Amino acid sequence: MAWDFETDPEFQKKLDWIEEFMEEKVEPLSNLGRGLMVPGAREKFIKPLQEEVKAQGLWACHLGPELGGQGFGQLKLGLMNEKLGRVGLAPSVFGCQAPDTGNAEIIAHYGTPEQKEKWLWPLLNGDIRSAFSMSEPAGGSDPTTFKTRAEWKNGKWVINGEKYFSSGGYGSTILIVYAVTDPDHKDIHQKTSIFIVPTKTPGVEILRGIGVGAGEGGGHAYMRYTDVEVGPEALLGPRGGAFLVAQTRLSGGRVHHAMRTVGACQKAFDLMCRRAVSRQTRDGRLADLAVVQEQICDSWIALQSFRLLVLRTAWLIDKHKDYNLVRKDIAAIKVAMPKVYHDIATTAAHLHGAMGVSNEMPFMGMVTSALVMGIADGPTEVHKVTVAKQVLKDYKPDNDLFPSYHLPKLKEAAMDKYGSAIEELKAEVSKGRASVDA
């Protein structure tokens, strides 16, 4: 029987290196904020860190060796991503930043040799960036409502439509675009296809940048495609195969979001506890107040429960090698993620008082990120339905007037099974009493 919560010693050395590397180099660099947007800053500061990561054999570890990664299983990735999740810059340093990771994954799975040569290798090396252009202004991420069309005309695909919140739109070299190619197909899941569209293609327009929260602008983009022409080589995967291709991308993305959220929650929790033992009130430290102790207890239990659920899901994926067999568990961590993150970040902000809700602490950004986690890769409500459906598949209906677990029924069944033995015991007891009386 195997039931172990210890990390392999050799991999623990890698985790220890990541911890030190993050603390000494990545986190201080991330504190520059917009200073990293100065032209040339990426080459001067981030590229050297990426080289250190590559030297440690920790670059793009979600990919197989044939793609330049380590082929780590999900459990190892979970332990690794916990540490990366503490700092927003870390995924870029380790070659696993969104949306590039998911985009690279579907090109690796479904791309032609030509597509891989032209786009995959530069993407994996960090030489180019990509965008995920799926959601639309009216229908959100529901592909059955998409209005963007790709029509086959004169040997080319012609794309028209608008996309909202195209992640990574600014600074991208290529766009992964979802468009309806077969609007009259009887199967709603085979109406849409995926295309690789160079961002500089005529007719591609970024209407504006979209930020998260109250800030101005951002890396996400509101896109318009007007008579955008691409050749047959732009089709990624089979025609009408967008739904199938997307599942390859989205299932892994949901798990990795959850892994990194564990790290973000841990950071908020650590800051919460440091505040509690440091802040003095008229009655002593915050840490000495019962109400604060209760908040810390609840936060710790929520974080540890969520972490174990994430790691168990990662273990199941490694065991089955099939995301479909772990749908319920992936959906469950997707549901749990925004609430746990929101509650811990909000508590941490509250314990820091005015400073906690200011832009001089990270908590408001964390609260906003928690809201994003409830929407990204599908809204929470959709995943709750998935969990419930998967759970209910294992239960059979009771169609009698009273259910099989009705207590009178259970008692009757017990008497059928043990009644004669009970009567024999009664007879023996009666006989024994009669002997004593005599």
Side-chain angles (χ1 to χ4, degrees), residues 408-430:
K409 273 191 176 183
L410 295 176
K411 183 174 182 180
E412 183 180 348
M415 288 304 298
D416 288 342
K417 188 171 185 177
Y418 299 107
S420 58
I422 292 292
E423 292 304 320
E424 289 176 8
L425 282 174
K426 285 181 178 179
E428 290 177 10
V429 170
S430 239

Side-chain angles (χ1 to χ4, degrees), residues 72-219:
F72 282 174
Q74 296 297 322
L75 188 55
K76 281 188 173 181
L77 289 173
L79 295 170
M80 182 176 169
N81 273 296
E82 284 181 6
K83 300 187 180 300
L84 305 191
R86 296 175 65 94
V87 182
L89 180 63
S92 294
V93 173
F94 282 78
C96 56
Q97 70 281 357
D100 293 338
T101 49
N103 291 342
E105 188 170 5
I106 58 176
I107 295 175
H109 274 84
Y110 297 98
T112 63
E114 293 75 20
Q115 288 172 333
K116 293 177 183 178
E117 182 66 28
K118 189 172 184 179
W119 305 121
L120 179 59
W121 298 112
L123 195 56
L124 295 179
N125 291 331
D127 297 329
I128 65 171
R129 295 297 309 274
S130 63
F132 188 59
S133 195
M134 176 183 178
S135 298
E136 298 192 355
S141 59
D142 182 357
T144 65
T145 66
F146 286 173
K147 305 298 182 187
T148 299
R149 297 287 182 90
E151 299 179 283
W152 182 251
K153 295 180 179 179
N154 302 320
K156 291 187 176 181
W157 290 104
V158 182
I159 303 173
N160 283 280
E162 294 185 354
K163 295 289 184 178
Y164 187 73
F165 214 83
S166 291
S167 301
Y170 272 95
S172 66
T173 300
I174 58 171
L175 304 150
I176 302 298
V177 182
Y178 285 62
V180 176
T181 50
D182 299 276
D184 299 322
H185 200 292
K186 61 181 179 180
D187 185 345
I188 60 173
H189 294 113
Q190 295 187 40
K191 293 183 176 184
T192 309
S193 303
I194 299 178
F195 298 87
I196 302 176
V197 180
T199 309
K200 292 184 178 180
T201 304
V204 174
E205 181 183 4
I206 297 179
L207 299 180
R208 63 175 179 270
I210 304 168
V212 175
E216 291 288 332

Side-chain angles (χ1 to χ4, degrees), residues 41-62:
R42 181 177 182 83
E43 288 70 22
K44 183 174 180 61
F45 298 112
I46 298 179
K47 282 288 186 182
L49 296 185
Q50 291 176 333
E51 293 304 319
E52 288 192 56
V53 170
K54 290 176 182 178
Q56 288 288 326
L58 293 171
W59 177 261
C61 290
H62 60 293

